[in-house]
Amino acid sequence: MSEPEATIASASGTIGLSSAEDEAAGFDSMFQAPEGFYKAHPEEKVVVFERKPEFVDSKTGLRQVRLNLLGSHPLWGHYLWNAAKTFANYLDSHKDIVQGRSVLELGAAGGLPSLISAVNEASRVVVTDYPDPDLIENIRKTVAINMPQKLEDRSVIVDGFKWGHEIERIQKLAPDDCDAFDVLILCDLVFNHSEHDGLLRSISQLMKKPSVGGSGGEAYVFFTHHRPWLADKDMQFIERAQKELGLEAVRIVEEYTGVMFEEDPGDARVRGTVHGFRLTHPMCPVERS
């Protein structure tokens, strides 16, 4: 997960996403932690995600996904985001999205959707986040906890990726020398408004294009309006994907899950609702509900 536009630490140490002045104060750029932020980190923790019994395949038997999370991190990789949990459940109930297909997750943080993709028989899963050694090594540790053999056979690859940069290096991780992926996953990334350009550039170059005999790729964008007063800016990402990339956008999920940060301001219903969109090329209709 990459860093939001403001990093707010309360006296109690709780980190939220909200600041009424964040845009006006010039925090709309990534990777600028406030002075004194880098202090001793709390210990790592393991969070268990329980898959719904009806979705567990008897062949894999992976009922619980154990996610090793950093105690703290300025790029927000120490949270299991509601959008990731919601998409994991959606993916479990629509296994055909990834079965036999290549998957790339951007800003993976805990990497839950990538793990669910792997357990649902994706042909290759590339799990990425900002190329910070602690963050990337922690994702690799989580994969090793749940499916070490997939790291060994490279059906799951963990790597650093700064959105919109070194795209050719990520293209080389796609299977069969095709330079692009069938499925892209973006969970709780669009509140990084300053990073929309890099994210859109990544989708444009890393999602498969339609071709003769090929259906093209699709991107799944799940997010919450953590700052309700900036919801329009969040939605600009979907609008730009349609206008600038020529993609079709379909809302596939709108689900109240509860708020991530209790003390943040704004309508709790808005802050606690996950929205999910599927982006596809016009020539590649996908019938799913």
Side-chain angles (χ1 to χ4, degrees):
M1 190 76 189
S2 298
E3 184 183 10
E5 294 132 58
T7 304
I8 310 300
S10 73
S12 66
T14 301
I15 300 175
L17 291 182
S18 300
S19 167
E21 294 83 24
D22 55 0
E23 299 273 328
F27 287 120
D28 195 27
S29 62
M30 289 180 62
F31 317 127
Q32 296 181 4
E35 184 178 355
F37 183 87
Y38 292 98
K39 299 177 181 178
H41 288 176
E43 292 185 2
E44 297 176 1
K45 59 184 177 182
V46 174
V47 174
V48 177
F49 176 78
E50 295 273 356
R51 297 174 69 203
K52 295 182 179 180
E54 62 268 30
F55 299 146
V56 178
D57 192 313
S58 59
K59 290 191 298 182
T60 63
L62 187 65
R63 226 171 31 84
Q64 296 181 330
V65 180
R66 300 176 64 82
L67 303 161
N68 195 78
L69 298 179
L70 296 171
S72 179
H73 198 276
L75 305 188
W76 305 91
H78 57 297
Y79 289 115
L80 175 56
W81 296 83
N82 288 342
K85 293 189 286 187
T86 301
F87 181 65
N89 284 325
Y90 181 84
L91 192 54
D92 254 345
S93 64
H94 299 79
K95 300 178 190 294
D96 61 309
I97 291 174
V98 297
Q99 283 177 333
R101 308 180 80 199
S102 59
V103 176
L104 171 66
E105 183 173 9
L106 307 181
L112 176 62
S114 288
L115 293 169
I116 297 299
S117 298
V119 80
N120 283 322
E121 301 180 337
S123 60
R124 174 168 293 177
V125 179
V126 177
V127 198
T128 69
D129 210 322
Y130 187 79
D132 170 74
D134 289 343
L135 188 54
I136 297 305
E137 183 55 35
N138 186 70
I139 296 173
R140 192 172 284 114
K141 184 184 297 185
T142 289
V143 178
I145 289 171
N146 293 277
M147 47 190 69
Q149 76 287 353
K150 291 187 179 292
L151 276 179
E152 294 173 8
D153 65 20
R154 290 181 61 81
S155 56
V156 174
I157 297 172
V158 181
D159 209 341
F161 177 45
K162 186 176 179 181
W163 305 326
H165 300 269
E166 295 187 317
I167 286 178
E168 288 185 5
R169 181 174 58 81
I170 301 300
Q171 287 174 327
K172 291 177 181 177
L173 300 178
D176 304 322
D177 299 321
C178 63
D179 294 337
F181 294 82
D182 297 307
V183 178
L184 270 62
I185 299 171
L186 296 79
C187 286
D188 249 332
L189 306 185
V190 302
F191 62 80
N192 293 309
H193 304 146
S194 64
E195 296 306 305
H196 284 188
D197 286 348
L199 287 168
L200 290 167
R201 189 159 57 249
S202 300
I203 290 175
S204 175
Q205 297 185 48
L206 292 169
M207 189 172 87
K208 276 187 180 178
K209 306 290 193 297
S211 60
V212 177
S215 60
E218 48 194 314
Y220 290 83
V221 185
F222 277 52
F223 58 91
T224 296
H225 298 305
H226 296 288
R227 297 165 296 175
W229 59 94
L230 297 177
D232 287 348
K233 281 200 167 187
D234 295 343
M235 289 303 300
Q236 284 176 9
F237 181 82
I238 301 298
E239 294 165 4
R240 289 184 61 188
Q242 293 173 298
K243 293 177 182 177
E244 297 175 22
L245 303 187
L247 299 178
E248 295 183 346
V250 178
R251 185 189 296 270
I252 54 176
V253 167
E254 185 171 319
E255 179 181 334
Y256 181 75
T257 62
V259 299
M260 280 284 298
F261 307 103
E262 291 285 350
E263 297 181 1
D264 278 359
D267 189 318
R269 191 77 192 177
V270 176
R271 292 188 296 115
T273 298
V274 172
H275 306 270
F277 287 82
R278 182 179 61 245
L279 305 179
T280 59
H281 295 284
M283 294 174 61
C284 128
V286 181
E287 297 298 330
R288 294 191 184 100
S289 60

